[in-house]
Amino acid sequence: MHSVSPQVGTTKAQAQPPTMPADYLSEIERLNAQIRLMQIQQEMMQQQLDGRDRNSTPRPNRFFEHQTNSSNRYSPAVNLAFGVLRWLFLFVVGLTIACTVSAAMGAIHLVDMLLKLTELCLVPLTIFTLCVVTIVTIIESLR
């Protein structure tokens, strides 16, 4: 019959792992590759769904809609005045940076052009900003 191995109750035939034919191994490798491809496709589809969800959420228009947050206690007119002041400040800072960089690089003609642009644009923008702030101040003081 069968010879007994050191372990009690097992034979040599039972102690050796079963051998698989080569076609089983190739089939397992093919299935593993398909599983990896399906996982990649699932991740790509999840990213596309996340992107659609992000794009579908409405973004509030801060300049024309009054938001009813508890942190925003100002009226739309005051928010408009602050917005106009902010854009004027950004315009002045941008021109200052452009003039500084142009002067540092030796572009004197560009600096002259930016200074003329400042003379042409800054005065009307400042007057417009002061008018908006004055109108908002009058409207808010009448309330």
Side-chain angles (χ1 to χ4, degrees):
M1 302 242 194
H2 295 290
S3 64
V4 177
S5 67
Q7 296 176 345
V8 178
T10 61
T11 62
K12 284 187 178 179
Q14 291 174 343
Q16 295 177 357
T19 58
M20 291 189 178
D23 57 339
Y24 286 149
L25 293 177
S26 64
E27 184 68 19
I28 289 173
E29 289 175 5
R30 186 183 67 78
L31 291 173
N32 280 335
Q34 284 182 344
I35 289 172
R36 276 188 245 115
L37 284 174
M38 290 173 67
Q39 288 173 341
I40 292 170
Q41 288 176 345
Q42 178 193 12
E43 289 173 5
M44 289 174 53
M45 289 169 54
Q46 185 64 41
Q47 289 174 356
Q48 288 175 351
L49 286 174
D50 291 342
R52 287 182 185 159
D53 288 344
R54 260 185 264 119
N55 291 337
S56 68
T57 57
R59 294 186 182 116
N61 191 344
R62 300 183 307 186
F63 298 108
F64 299 110
E65 293 179 4
H66 179 64
Q67 298 176 5
T68 58
N69 295 346
S70 61
S71 63
N72 189 2
R73 291 173 274 167
Y74 300 114
S75 68
V78 173
N79 288 333
L80 174 69
F82 283 141
V84 170
L85 281 171
R86 180 182 65 198
W87 286 109
L88 177 70
F89 175 73
L90 289 174
F91 178 75
V92 170
V93 168
L95 276 174
T96 304
I97 291 171
C99 286
T100 305
V101 169
S102 299
M105 292 186 176
I108 302 301
H109 298 295
L110 186 60
V111 174
D112 291 337
M113 183 183 73
L114 288 173
L115 290 176
K116 289 179 183 176
L117 177 69
T118 304
E119 291 173 6
L120 290 175
C121 293
L122 191 60
V123 174
L125 286 175
T126 306
I127 291 171
F128 173 73
T129 303
L130 291 176
C131 288
V132 168
V133 170
T134 303
I135 291 170
V136 167
T137 304
I138 292 171
I139 289 172
E140 290 297 317
S141 65
L142 290 177
R143 283 186 180 187

